[in-house]
Amino acid sequence: MFYDKQPSNQRENYKKMLKIIGSLSNLFSESDKPFLYYRCHENIFCKYFEARNLSREDCSADAQKVTTGIGLKTWVDTDNQKVAEFNKLKASYMSLLKEEMIQKIAEYRNERIRITMKLHGITEMIYHIVKRVPNAMQIYEYAFEMIDIENIKLNKDKGSSTNIYFNDGKHEYHFNISKSTLYMTFEGMTLLDSFDVNILEDPYEYLEKLVGEESVVSEVKEILDEKGKEYEQLCLRLYSTTASGEKIVHEKSGLNQWNAGGRVRNPNELYIPYPAFDRERSVGFFPSREESFTLTLPDGKMLSAKVCQADGKAIMSNPNYELGKWLLRDVFELPEGTLITYEMLEKFGVDSVVFTKIDDRIYKIDFTNIGTYEELLSEDSSTDKE
């Protein structure tokens, strides 16, 4: 178990902060079950266990400690909990029969987990759970596993027009079709720790007393702060769109640059497309064309990269096959000579990337969920109108 292996002082500080946050529950709720906002839980966990926070990186894990990926959960009452959403992929499965639909959902679920592990250098996954009961919190851990597709069995006695129930011999699941959401029953969990939470009757009075106690205020503020330091970011697509609106990956450019003609090419050559529209909306984000910068991958590996090609329409590693070797072979695990298609990106659960500008010569890159590019453009457009 992850939790039991952490230093005792880290576990105690973790519980202490959960107690403090839980004691303020009457700021948000009148229940006797402590309130714990999931973003706050993510920050507390990562701070006190010195873990990397992945919760905003559009992947299956919320945190990472060395090579362990952690899915963080907090809930009250039922142990039947949401584990994945597939709303953006509805078109690919809504016309299927129930057996075929669950097969497709299981494949998507498994690929998301696999890609998360490969992107971040994770070798094992677990769920860490804080369950909130009357005036107390309980800590559990649970297996975070791929669905055993070969052993899927539908429970037709519990099924309905909107819900499909099934198990894979290890866990019970149900898929809510209308919500495009997969749920799993966390049954047979082993209790690792439990502690009382004194919910303050008047949390406002308590907070007033903290004014002036800078060390306490500063620590609580850091935990409650969701955003932290803001960095400039840019989202770019890994695909193109035809005149009819179809999303495609060109066979001889972008992720398939290795397939282009003109010269002998390395089988790992690729580039991130940086088309004119995106260049115009991000002037000054990257260094000038052909000027190198450091690009940090999700697993921490650093590459040399630069803006290349005519008019600066490509982001490439230097040499230009290093990024491809990592993405095509190490992450996607594709044989050489395999053409990337948009359908494959849907299966992998990623179709765009986000560059984060740390400073003028240091950037990081993260892969994002299906539809992220369109969502961000829509948000930017709404902001411009305001």
Side-chain angles (χ1 to χ4, degrees):
M1 291 291 184
F2 172 87
Y3 181 76
D4 289 344
K5 294 178 181 177
Q6 305 313 300
S8 59
N9 66 311
Q10 290 187 359
R11 296 199 304 269
E12 290 305 312
N13 288 333
Y14 173 63
K15 291 190 294 182
K16 176 184 175 182
M17 186 53 66
L18 289 178
K19 287 180 183 180
I20 291 174
I21 299 301
S23 72
L24 302 176
S25 294
N26 279 337
L27 289 172
F28 318 100
S29 167
E30 295 181 356
S31 172
D32 63 351
K33 297 168 184 175
F35 181 85
L36 178 60
Y37 181 50
Y38 73 98
R39 289 294 189 197
C40 188
H41 180 213
E42 293 162 358
N43 291 341
I44 292 172
F45 182 93
C46 292
K47 174 179 174 63
Y48 289 104
F49 290 128
E50 299 177 352
R52 180 185 175 192
N53 195 329
L54 302 180
S55 61
R56 297 180 182 272
E57 295 192 16
D58 288 333
C59 65
S60 296
D62 297 304
Q64 179 179 357
K65 182 68 179 283
V66 193
T67 59
T68 299
I70 303 113
L72 296 170
K73 294 286 187 182
T74 177
W75 69 72
V76 297
D77 301 323
T78 179
D79 292 338
N80 181 38
Q81 293 292 317
K82 178 176 73 175
V83 292
E85 293 184 11
F86 303 94
N87 188 58
K88 296 172 184 175
L89 297 170
K90 267 189 174 182
S92 68
Y93 62 77
M94 283 301 289
S95 62
L96 301 177
L97 298 174
K98 287 186 176 180
E99 289 82 358
E100 297 171 330
M101 184 182 296
I102 290 305
Q103 175 88 13
K104 180 69 72 173
I105 292 301
E107 290 174 358
Y108 286 148
R109 166 70 168 164
N110 288 354
E111 281 300 291
R112 286 184 180 182
I113 295 173
R114 185 182 70 83
I115 293 298
T116 291
M117 295 178 72
K118 290 296 181 179
L119 280 174
H120 296 92
I122 292 170
T123 59
E124 65 172 346
M125 298 275 283
I126 63 160
Y127 281 110
H128 176 91
I129 299 136
V130 174
K131 188 173 180 179
R132 293 168 283 134
V133 298
N135 300 298
M137 292 185 182
Q138 299 171 336
I139 295 176
Y140 300 87
E141 284 178 4
Y142 198 73
F144 194 144
E145 299 176 300
M146 294 186 185
I147 297 173
D148 187 348
I149 294 177
E150 296 298 321
N151 289 310
I152 288 177
K153 293 182 180 179
L154 269 59
N155 185 340
K156 297 182 180 179
D157 294 334
K158 294 181 66 176
S160 68
S161 60
T162 58
N163 286 283
I164 306 174
Y165 289 82
F166 67 98
N167 72 75
D168 68 346
K170 295 179 291 184
H171 305 289
E172 295 287 337
Y173 298 89
H174 87 264
F175 181 63
N176 186 300
I177 300 173
S178 61
K179 295 180 180 179
S180 301
T181 300
L182 180 67
Y183 296 83
M184 184 175 75
T185 301
F186 288 72
E187 57 184 354
M189 297 189 299
T190 301
L191 180 64
L192 300 180
D193 211 338
S194 179
F195 50 92
D196 294 334
V197 176
N198 177 28
I199 298 177
L200 298 170
E201 184 175 346
D202 186 357
Y204 300 97
E205 180 183 359
Y206 172 75
L207 291 174
E208 287 174 358
K209 290 179 180 179
L210 287 181
V211 175
E213 296 183 33
E214 293 183 2
S215 61
V216 178
V217 174
S218 175
E219 186 166 14
V220 173
K221 182 179 183 301
E222 180 181 349
I223 293 299
L224 291 174
D225 180 19
E226 288 186 46
K227 294 184 178 180
K229 185 175 180 180
E230 295 286 350
Y231 292 100
E232 188 178 357
Q233 293 185 313
L234 175 65
C235 185
L236 297 178
R237 297 175 295 176
L238 298 175
Y239 60 91
S240 298
T241 305
T242 65
S244 63
E246 180 187 4
K247 295 178 179 179
I248 63 170
V249 179
H250 290 296
E251 293 187 358
K252 296 182 181 295
S253 60
L255 298 186
N256 293 317
Q257 186 196 22
W258 57 269
N259 191 44
R263 59 176 172 80
V264 176
R265 295 183 180 271
N266 188 290
N268 295 318
E269 283 188 43
L270 62 71
Y271 64 84
I272 307 298
Y274 192 25
F277 172 77
D278 292 312
R279 296 197 300 274
E280 290 170 2
R281 70 185 180 91
S282 60
V283 174
F285 181 81
F286 288 113
S288 300
R289 183 169 170 267
E290 298 296 342
E291 289 188 31
S292 296
F293 57 87
T294 298
L295 184 62
T296 303
L297 304 179
D299 63 359
K301 181 180 180 180
M302 291 185 287
L303 303 178
S304 175
K306 56 186 177 181
V307 178
C308 298
Q309 296 192 11
D311 299 321
K313 65 179 183 179
I315 310 297
M316 289 179 162
S317 64
N318 183 25
N320 65 354
Y321 55 79
E322 283 197 356
L323 183 59
K325 179 184 181 303
W326 173 77
L327 183 61
L328 301 179
R329 312 298 163 232
D330 300 342
V331 177
F332 291 166
E333 296 184 313
L334 297 172
E336 290 184 3
T338 303
L339 283 171
I340 295 285
T341 64
Y342 187 76
E343 289 70 28
M344 293 170 67
L345 295 182
E346 283 188 313
K347 183 179 179 182
F348 296 148
V350 297
D351 71 355
S352 55
V353 295
V354 170
F355 288 91
T356 301
K357 186 175 185 177
I358 307 303
D359 65 29
D360 289 341
R361 286 293 184 274
I362 300 178
Y363 297 74
K364 60 177 291 196
I365 185 173
D366 294 297
F367 290 77
T368 64
N369 286 340
I370 302 296
T372 298
Y373 179 84
E374 291 93 337
E375 289 178 1
L376 291 176
L377 279 192
S378 177
E379 290 175 6
D380 289 344
S381 177
S382 298
T383 301
D384 291 342
K385 290 178 182 178
E386 292 175 1

